[in-house]
Amino acid sequence: STISVVEDKESGNRTIYMDGFSTATVSRSFSGSTYMQAMGFVPMTLHPSPKNVLVIGFGTGNTLGIVSLFPNANVHGVEIDKNILKFSKWFSNWNHDVLQRPNTQIFVQDGRAFLRWSNTRYDVIIMEPMSPLQAGVVNLYSKEFYDLALNHLKQDGILVQWLPLHLVGPEDARSITYTFHKVFPEFSVWNSFLTRIVMLVGSRKPVVLDKKHFETLMDNAEIQQIAKEMKVSSFLDFADFYITEG
């Protein structure tokens, strides 16, 4: 890809462009980068003990960085374009300098090919590829790929798929949601602070909101800081991410 990072000098916001397409923007203002934080925070808080975690799609590294902060997490990141990783330094204040963290390993590979050849089974898989509008990416929104991903989840594992409603349109959004629902026995929809972007959460077993687990995580200073940036100060705030069951 042809990649660039543009900074708005007035606001300090930074945007990464791939082939002229605005892929992600980071900001210190509330909700500026919150949806990427939520993509990491929500599944890692929902799972009772996430140890092996896979994040497909690097972008600014925000989601991967949030995931890497959780205790005992061994994180695999997959990015198809190695040059994206070179731009990570421009987002280090947001991604927690994730490429240097000892519990994180990056693979330059197509997400589907990586899972086909991987023997690892994951507690959490987070899907944050480009939208299906980009050539080839639709393969990561297909029944065949969801079947493959489900086979790489542990029994109590969960998968999160970001769904950019503003990019795919209502018919495609319904189609993706229907396909997701057909593969995952349990399915729910979660907020990410932007009504145009939601998260689909799939699993074999029902996902349970655990107040005690949430409060234990909040004893960790780094995770508490992330929660604070998202205006999550209580278990009730966290429960607000939930929209509906499948």
Side-chain angles (χ1 to χ4, degrees):
S1 303
T2 299
I3 308 166
S4 59
V5 174
V6 178
E7 181 179 75
D8 183 321
K9 287 190 175 182
E10 186 174 328
S11 66
N13 297 353
R14 292 182 181 181
T15 301
I16 187 167
Y17 290 87
M18 295 179 64
D19 295 333
F21 179 79
S22 171
T23 304
T25 297
V26 296
S27 169
R28 279 299 175 199
S29 65
F30 174 64
S31 85
S33 308
T34 306
Y35 79 93
M36 287 182 280
Q37 292 175 309
M39 282 292 299
F41 185 85
V42 171
M44 294 298 285
T45 304
L46 285 177
H47 195 283
S49 180
K51 294 183 174 62
N52 290 338
V53 184
L54 172 65
V55 179
I56 295 179
F58 186 83
T60 62
N62 277 26
T63 299
L64 196 71
I66 297 297
V67 169
S68 71
L69 300 179
F70 280 74
N72 304 316
N74 175 46
V75 188
H76 288 169
V78 178
E79 170 55 51
I80 197 170
D81 189 338
K82 65 181 180 181
N83 295 310
I84 283 287
L85 304 176
K86 297 177 183 177
F87 286 78
S88 174
K89 64 184 180 180
W90 299 111
F91 303 99
S92 59
N93 287 339
W94 291 269
N95 64 29
H96 304 275
D97 207 11
V98 64
L99 295 184
Q100 306 305 318
R101 293 184 69 88
N103 63 333
T104 301
Q105 187 175 3
I106 302 294
F107 300 87
V108 178
Q109 179 60 277
D110 168 73
R112 183 175 57 164
F114 176 83
L115 271 185
R116 285 181 65 187
W117 295 107
S118 173
N119 293 321
T120 305
R121 297 188 74 201
Y122 294 96
D123 298 295
V124 175
I125 297 177
I126 299 173
M127 296 289 305
E128 206 173 8
M130 298 284 277
S131 81
L133 297 177
Q134 274 70 32
V137 184
V138 72
N139 292 322
L140 298 182
Y141 292 81
S142 67
K143 178 183 183 299
E144 291 78 8
F145 180 77
Y146 290 146
D147 284 330
L148 177 64
L150 180 60
N151 288 332
H152 279 77
L153 281 178
K154 296 179 184 178
Q155 274 302 114
D156 62 348
I158 62 175
L159 180 140
V160 175
Q161 168 80 70
W162 87 303
L163 182 58
L165 300 177
H166 62 302
L167 296 177
V168 300
E171 289 301 318
D172 286 341
R174 279 194 284 269
S175 177
I176 292 167
T177 305
Y178 178 80
T179 303
F180 195 87
H181 186 32
K182 282 292 182 181
V183 172
F184 293 94
E186 297 290 337
F187 160 50
S188 51
V189 185
W190 298 72
N191 183 26
S192 65
F193 281 103
L194 290 173
T195 53
R196 60 189 186 148
I197 298 173
V198 296
M199 296 177 278
L200 309 180
V201 175
S203 58
R204 292 184 182 88
K205 301 177 181 179
V207 172
V208 178
L209 284 164
D210 187 335
K211 184 173 185 287
K212 185 177 179 181
H213 175 57
F214 172 84
E215 291 173 348
T216 299
L217 285 174
M218 290 304 103
D219 289 336
N220 180 299
E222 287 184 308
I223 296 175
Q224 187 182 83
Q225 178 59 32
I226 296 303
K228 183 179 179 181
E229 291 173 10
M230 295 189 295
K231 309 298 185 190
V232 174
S233 58
S234 69
F235 178 69
L236 187 60
D237 290 338
F238 176 68
D240 244 357
F241 283 107
Y242 177 77
I243 296 176
T244 179
E245 63 176 13

